[in-house]
């Protein structure tokens, strides 16, 4: 059977962003008056907005303002990325060039929205490696609970 394509996750596999999300979710929660543990921040990995909001409201109670904390996280992380950039994981370009040389299509599947995904891939210099981007907002149910 011939390989028909390769689908990659974005955060933590293609881009070195998981550590940034953990850091800035925690900082944003703190700025908004909530103490978020590293473990709680880790649980947010790969959750779409609906699942993340549900998990955080269960963890912190009804007074947790998900949208405020999320917007604070976006502001903090964006400022960091503007100043420091964002890096692809080692070997990403080499792997994508290998797949392309064999006419194997590549795609990104991510819970991150399209605009940020595209921006981060451009900043990391690997946007041209992926023919297709599919985000959680493109689907009725984001990962990990596909129905």
């Amino acid at each position: 059977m011939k390989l028909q394509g390769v689908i990659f996750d974005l955060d933590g596999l293609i881009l070195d962003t998981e550590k940034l999300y953990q850091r800035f979710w925690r900082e944003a929660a703190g700025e908004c008056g909530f103490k978020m543990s590293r473990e709680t921040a880790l649980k947010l990995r790969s959750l779409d907005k609906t699942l993340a909001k549900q998990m955080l409201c269960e963890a912190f109670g009804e007074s947790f303002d998900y949208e405020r904390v999320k917007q604070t996280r976006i502001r903090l992380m964006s400022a960091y990325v503007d100043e420091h950039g964002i890096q692809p994981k080692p070997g990403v370009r080499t792997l994508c060039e290998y797949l392309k040389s064999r006419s194997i299509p590549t795609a990104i599947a991510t819970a991150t929205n399209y605009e940020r995904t595209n921006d981060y891939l451009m900043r990391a210099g690997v946007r041209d490696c992926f023919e297709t981007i599919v985000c959680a907002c493109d689907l009725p149910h984001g990962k990990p609970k596909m129905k």
Side-chain angles (χ1 to χ4, degrees):
M1 176 183 212
K2 182 180 183 252
L3 185 62
Q4 295 181 5
V6 178
I7 302 170
F8 295 92
D9 187 26
L10 178 70
D11 296 302
L13 181 66
I14 297 301
L15 300 180
D16 197 14
T17 50
E18 281 194 340
K19 65 184 178 189
L20 299 178
Y21 280 108
Q22 290 173 38
R23 173 183 170 181
F24 292 111
W25 269 115
R26 294 180 71 201
E27 285 184 21
E31 205 172 287
C32 295
F34 297 91
K35 184 176 166 109
M36 184 181 291
S37 69
R38 183 175 184 276
E39 291 74 26
T40 298
L42 282 170
K43 289 179 185 177
L44 291 168
R45 288 183 305 188
S46 297
L47 294 182
D48 72 3
K49 175 183 176 177
T50 303
L51 295 172
K53 181 178 181 178
Q54 179 183 348
M55 192 271 293
L56 290 171
C57 288
E58 287 173 5
F60 293 105
E62 292 193 24
S63 65
F64 187 81
D65 187 343
Y66 174 80
E67 286 302 323
R68 179 174 169 232
V69 175
K70 178 183 161 192
Q71 291 307 313
T72 302
R73 193 261 311 147
I74 290 170
R75 176 180 50 79
L76 294 170
M77 189 165 161
S78 293
Y80 178 89
V81 169
D82 285 346
E83 183 176 342
H84 301 282
I86 201 155
Q87 299 301 312
K89 290 286 199 162
V92 167
R93 175 148 308 274
T94 303
L95 175 57
C96 289
E97 287 172 357
Y98 172 83
L99 295 169
K100 189 173 191 171
S101 75
R102 282 154 179 75
S103 300
I104 300 170
T106 56
I108 294 283
T110 182
T112 302
N113 69 46
Y114 179 82
E115 293 76 20
R116 193 165 343 151
T117 297
N118 195 56
D119 179 50
Y120 285 1
L121 289 170
M122 293 291 284
R123 288 174 187 252
V126 293
R127 175 61 185 94
D128 63 311
C129 291
F130 305 98
E131 298 168 34
T132 304
I133 296 172
V134 178
C135 300
C137 58
D138 296 326
L139 305 168
H141 303 283
K143 57 183 184 173
K145 293 187 179 182
M146 299 297 290
K147 293 186 179 184

